[in-house]
């Protein structure tokens, strides 16, 4: 059986679904049927717990598959995941998808409302609840793991990348900025193929996936979500979800993404300022354009 040779570690809401889909279409890549098995994320609540169930996700990988991968977006945030991965696959390569944490935090909240991990529909209110939730208060009943509701730490990508570079050589890591996917997806894709030592190839199109969504009927969504989570925990393949998948497709609709108020953007930019500067230093990329608030930008520019 072939083991995974590369991992998309995260981060959530940074284009991981699109990139995983595009890479899975390459004739020499085998991708796990379940996009986010989260097996190695042992300091959070894992998805697929036992190794046998995890390895069954890759049993169909054949000789034509030069690279075998999976994408679990909580791995980057985990203290243990990369260490566990290296114990299992010592020569693994890592892809990290990043974006402006100000936008990421708001988008992550929208996603958690949709997946029923979050029951507070106002992002500003959910942001203010982080301290209370860290003490075990105001936790939604259907939340998979309360740590996921700490939007500030979850979206502090600079600190997470710094920890990754402390465990593996930067030469084994490729950073992808979501904004580059918006402007030059084909070039980003080809650079990843080179990183993974794969033949040049291109999918028919680079359609972006995982748009903002909402449920028509939340009760129906709750029942399906609980059933799907149980199947994933048992290591069942995505295609086995059957009726549940069909119901979910019927029950969801896309909607425009919510916009931040200027006041909330300033709060977030002040919060993430030092982490953005760290990410800039680690990647060698000027990220000053991530600050729209003049006050936040001036303070960051003075400290750069």
């Amino acid at each position: 059986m072939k083991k995974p040779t590369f991992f998309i570690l995260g981060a959530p809401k940074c284009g991981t679904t699109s990139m995983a889909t595009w890479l899975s279409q390459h004739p020499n890549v085998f991708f796990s049927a379940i996009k986010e098995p989260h097996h190695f994320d042992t300091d959070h609540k894992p998805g697929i717990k036992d190794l046998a169930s995890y390895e069954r996700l890759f049993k169909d990988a054949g000789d034509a598959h030069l690279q075998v991968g999976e994408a679990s977006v909580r791995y980057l945030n985990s203290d243990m995941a990369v260490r566990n991965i290296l114990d299992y696959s010592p020569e693994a390569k890592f892809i990290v998808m990043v974006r402006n944490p100000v936008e990421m935090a708001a988008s992550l909240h929208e996603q958690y409302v949709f997946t029923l991990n979050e029951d507070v529909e106002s992002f500003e209110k959910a942001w203010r609840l982080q301290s209370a939730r860290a003490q075990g208060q105001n936790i939604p009943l259907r939340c998979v793991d309360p740590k996921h509701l700490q939007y500030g730490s979850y979206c502090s990508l600079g600190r997470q990348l710094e920890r990754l570079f402390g465990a593996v050589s930067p030469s084994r890591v490729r950073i992808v900025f979501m904004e580059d996917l918006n402007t030059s997806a084909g070039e980003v894709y080809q650079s990843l193929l080179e990183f993974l030592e794969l033949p040049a190839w291109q999918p028919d199109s680079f359609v972006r996936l995982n748009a903002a969504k909402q449920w028509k009927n939340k009760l129906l969504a709750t029942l399906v979500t609980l059933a799907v989570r149980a199947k994933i925990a048992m290591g069942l393949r995505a295609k086995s979800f059957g009726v549940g998948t069909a119901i979910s497709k019927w029950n969801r609709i896309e909607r425009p993404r919510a916009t931040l108020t200027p006041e909330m953007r300033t709060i977030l930019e002040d919060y993430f300022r030092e982490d953005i500067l760290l990410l800039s230093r680690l990647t060698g990329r000027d990220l000053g354009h991530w600050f729209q608030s003049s006050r936040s930008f001036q303070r960051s520019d003075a400290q750069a």
Side-chain angles (χ1 to χ4, degrees):
M1 186 207 74
K2 290 194 172 187
K3 291 183 177 182
T5 55
F6 75 94
F7 297 79
I8 301 180
L9 300 179
K13 308 310 296 177
C14 294
T16 56
T17 298
S18 297
M19 185 54 68
T21 300
W22 300 338
L23 285 173
S24 70
Q25 294 171 1
H26 193 288
N28 300 120
V29 173
F30 183 90
F31 227 89
S32 62
I34 295 176
K35 172 182 169 278
E36 300 185 23
H38 290 295
H39 172 70
F40 296 103
D41 181 18
T42 54
D43 50 337
H44 295 89
K45 185 175 180 180
I48 296 178
K49 297 179 181 180
D50 66 286
L51 182 60
S53 295
Y54 176 75
E55 290 187 332
R56 278 198 294 271
L57 298 177
F58 309 98
K59 66 182 180 64
D60 293 330
D63 293 339
H65 298 117
L66 305 179
Q67 294 285 357
V68 177
E70 63 125 308
S72 294
V73 296
R74 295 201 306 266
Y75 285 167
L76 186 65
N77 180 256
S78 167
D79 291 323
M80 297 298 300
V82 171
R83 193 181 314 172
N84 292 335
I85 289 171
L86 292 173
D87 288 342
Y88 179 75
S89 182
E91 303 302 318
K93 292 185 175 183
F94 302 96
I95 297 171
V96 178
M97 317 285 292
V98 300
R99 71 187 291 189
N100 187 336
V102 173
E103 299 168 356
M104 175 186 169
S107 182
L108 186 61
H109 169 262
E110 286 186 340
Q111 179 70 11
Y112 283 164
V113 170
F114 177 73
T115 59
L116 308 179
N117 284 288
E118 173 65 89
D119 61 358
V120 176
E121 297 196 4
S122 165
F123 173 56
E124 295 186 21
K125 182 177 179 181
W127 180 264
R128 293 195 299 269
L129 281 173
Q130 288 179 101
S131 295
R133 285 171 161 178
Q135 303 299 318
Q137 304 170 26
N138 303 107
I139 305 299
L141 289 175
R142 293 183 291 274
C143 179
V144 173
D145 189 331
K147 292 180 182 178
H148 301 171
L149 303 178
Q150 297 302 308
Y151 299 102
S153 61
Y154 217 124
C155 298
S156 294
L157 302 181
R159 294 201 299 268
Q160 295 171 39
L161 186 60
E162 184 176 48
R163 178 176 56 207
L164 175 61
F165 284 166
V168 298
S169 167
S171 64
R172 291 168 58 186
V173 180
R174 181 58 55 92
I175 311 300
V176 176
F177 285 81
M178 186 173 175
E179 59 200 62
D180 292 341
L181 293 186
N182 295 330
T183 59
S184 53
E187 293 179 15
V188 172
Y189 185 77
Q190 294 305 321
S191 72
L192 286 181
L193 296 188
E194 293 176 10
F195 172 66
L196 296 172
E197 301 178 87
L198 289 166
W201 189 83
Q202 185 167 305
D204 292 336
S205 65
F206 291 100
V207 176
R208 293 292 304 280
L209 304 172
N210 212 6
K213 301 175 289 291
Q214 66 185 34
W215 297 114
K216 299 176 186 176
N217 185 306
K218 276 198 171 183
L219 176 59
L220 182 60
T222 299
L223 296 175
V224 172
T225 298
L226 293 176
V228 168
R229 287 177 182 173
K231 287 189 174 185
I232 290 176
M234 292 185 290
L236 297 180
R237 296 172 65 88
K239 66 182 182 182
S240 70
F241 297 163
V243 175
T245 300
I247 292 174
S248 291
K249 287 182 178 179
W250 171 85
N251 194 33
R252 68 186 180 216
I253 54 175
E254 293 189 5
R255 63 172 177 80
R257 292 204 180 278
T259 57
L260 292 170
T261 64
E263 294 77 15
M264 190 62 192
R265 176 170 284 277
T266 298
I267 289 171
L268 294 175
E269 289 183 359
D270 283 348
Y271 179 91
F272 288 116
R273 183 178 60 254
E274 294 301 324
D275 195 74
I276 292 173
L277 291 174
L278 175 59
L279 183 63
S280 178
R281 291 194 297 271
L282 292 172
T283 60
R285 181 156 170 158
D286 182 3
L287 301 176
H289 62 287
W290 283 6
F291 296 98
Q292 294 184 15
S293 164
S294 59
R295 181 166 67 90
S296 296
F297 177 76
Q298 289 167 2
R299 291 176 65 185
S300 298
D301 190 53
Q303 297 175 25

